[in-house]
Amino acid sequence: MEISLLVLVCLFLVPASFVNGLHDVSNAIAVPVRTRALSPTAATRLAAVAHLAGALVVLPIGLSVFAWFEMPPVEARATLTVLLVAILTLFGWNLFTYVRGMPTSSTHGLLAAVLGGILALSALGLIDSSEAQDLPWAAPALTLLISPLVAFGVAYLLVFLTAYLARSADPDTVNRRSRMIQAATTGVTSFGIGLQQGQRLMFLIMLAFAAALPQHQTTWASALFIVYSVAMALGTLTGGWRIGHFLAHRLVALDPMRGMVAGVTTSVLLLFGSLAWTLPLSTSLTAGSSIIGAGSNQRFATVNWAQALQMGRYWLLTPLVTGFIGCLLVLALSPLYS
């Protein structure tokens, strides 16, 4: 049974990785394409290469945004069931929100689904309730609430500095240089997205093999990780235009300079979050908040606040829905492991 569940986990990670790439690529390319810093073809290719590079960097250096997370001791079948349910739940939610054109957090969706599954195991008496209570509930909740505020504030303030530095420059020169910087930040942001998604993948792979085949953990993990990273890059090549249209057309109208500010803010926060702080930052929350922060700092109205509020509702719904579904499915599949 353990091997069968492990095979299912490994198989379903392929489409889940593809949808992750499709779902998150717009966070890096939507605004640069909108402001004509890059063509759609160039943007998707650059994003795919940088996305793959960011994910593969995780393999030799072993970063982990989930270093603070430890799975409570439980039977291998129960652990694998929780992981399988979390992957399927995240896959379904990402696909649903992509069709709806809404940028949501894959990181928080995955964590909530795993935590929901662990709560189900606790309700079934398979793990001690105190161990479930000791799980790091605060870290994902705080990043969900604080990271959008930080991204908004940094982008909003950075517009003042950028406008001051460009006060005497020719507008065409400002736009041209802003587009050049946007093109660079597209690659940096995509690299940061790859870092975050690569660490999520490594987290799932290592937990799955530690439960089912600990003696072959290092043998298979690297090869599978490369397969999943390539699947994410292929998803990135699709462009994720449904969410991209929301970010760059329905949510806010940005000129090249403010688009550059949004890109710089997103890329810097993602890199610091991944490399320096190893926090479970959401690329969607960071990019969306940066875009709103840069766009709201203008004399004329550019932010569609009704759409921004709708996006915020989806952000809050993501951990609630995925956590509930994860808990429900683990309870429904209890005959497999109880």
Side-chain angles (χ1 to χ4, degrees):
M1 177 62 73
E2 287 84 357
I3 300 302
S4 299
L5 287 170
L6 177 63
V7 170
L8 288 175
V9 167
C10 294
L11 287 176
F12 280 112
L13 265 176
V14 176
S17 300
F18 180 88
V19 171
N20 271 346
L22 175 149
H23 191 273
D24 288 352
V25 60
S26 56
N27 298 319
I29 70 172
V31 173
V33 170
R34 179 70 174 85
T35 60
R36 301 191 304 278
L38 289 168
S39 69
T41 301
T44 52
R45 291 176 179 175
L46 173 60
V49 171
H51 197 147
L52 180 61
L56 293 179
V57 162
V58 175
L59 197 56
I61 64 179
L63 289 170
S64 178
V65 295
F66 301 114
W68 38 264
F69 184 96
E70 290 187 11
M71 191 75 176
V74 68
E75 274 193 18
R77 283 181 294 175
T79 297
L80 290 166
T81 301
V82 170
L83 295 178
L84 178 60
V85 163
I87 292 166
L88 292 174
T89 301
L90 181 63
F91 172 78
W93 183 249
N94 276 349
L95 204 57
F96 170 75
T97 51
Y98 175 73
V99 171
R100 298 286 296 173
M102 282 293 150
T104 54
S105 172
S106 298
T107 300
H108 291 92
L110 174 64
L111 275 174
V114 171
L115 292 171
I118 292 173
L119 278 181
L121 297 181
S122 176
L124 292 168
L126 297 177
I127 63 173
D128 191 84
S129 59
S130 62
E131 292 177 334
Q133 293 172 7
D134 290 339
L135 288 171
W137 301 95
L142 287 175
T143 55
L144 178 67
L145 296 174
I146 295 176
S147 60
L149 297 177
V150 172
F152 178 93
V154 170
Y156 187 89
L157 294 175
L158 193 56
V159 170
F160 285 113
L161 176 62
T162 306
Y164 176 78
L165 294 175
R167 65 190 184 280
S168 58
D170 178 68
D172 291 336
T173 301
V174 172
N175 288 339
R176 184 177 67 254
R177 291 176 179 175
S178 296
R179 290 188 177 103
M180 291 173 62
I181 296 174
Q182 274 191 80
T185 59
T186 299
V188 177
T189 300
S190 299
F191 185 82
I193 294 173
L195 280 174
Q196 290 281 330
Q197 292 189 341
Q199 291 174 82
R200 289 201 300 265
L201 277 176
M202 187 60 76
F203 167 75
L204 293 169
I205 294 170
M206 298 304 284
L207 276 182
F209 274 90
L213 291 173
Q215 67 274 23
H216 297 293
Q217 191 172 11
T218 55
T219 306
W220 290 98
S222 298
L224 288 170
F225 181 82
I226 293 172
V227 171
Y228 302 142
S229 299
V230 171
M232 282 194 302
L234 292 175
T236 301
L237 282 174
T238 64
W241 299 118
R242 280 182 176 270
I243 294 176
H245 178 75
F246 174 84
L247 289 172
H249 294 267
R250 292 170 54 195
L251 179 64
V252 66
L254 293 177
D255 58 34
M257 187 191 76
R258 287 171 175 81
M260 178 267 294
V261 168
V264 168
T265 303
T266 302
S267 60
V268 169
L269 289 178
L270 281 181
L271 284 183
F272 270 96
S274 299
L275 296 174
W277 303 322
T278 62
L279 291 173
L281 286 181
S282 163
T283 56
S284 297
L285 270 62
T286 304
S289 301
S290 298
I291 290 170
I292 294 174
S296 61
N297 194 348
Q298 298 182 93
R299 292 182 179 179
F300 52 92
T302 59
V303 178
N304 186 331
W305 289 105
Q307 295 292 333
L309 289 174
Q310 184 181 13
M311 181 175 67
R313 285 193 291 269
Y314 272 86
W315 287 356
L316 294 175
L317 278 174
T318 294
L320 297 176
V321 171
T322 55
F324 176 76
I325 294 175
C327 181
L328 194 64
L329 289 178
V330 170
L331 288 173
L333 294 173
S334 59
L336 292 176
Y337 53 84
S338 59

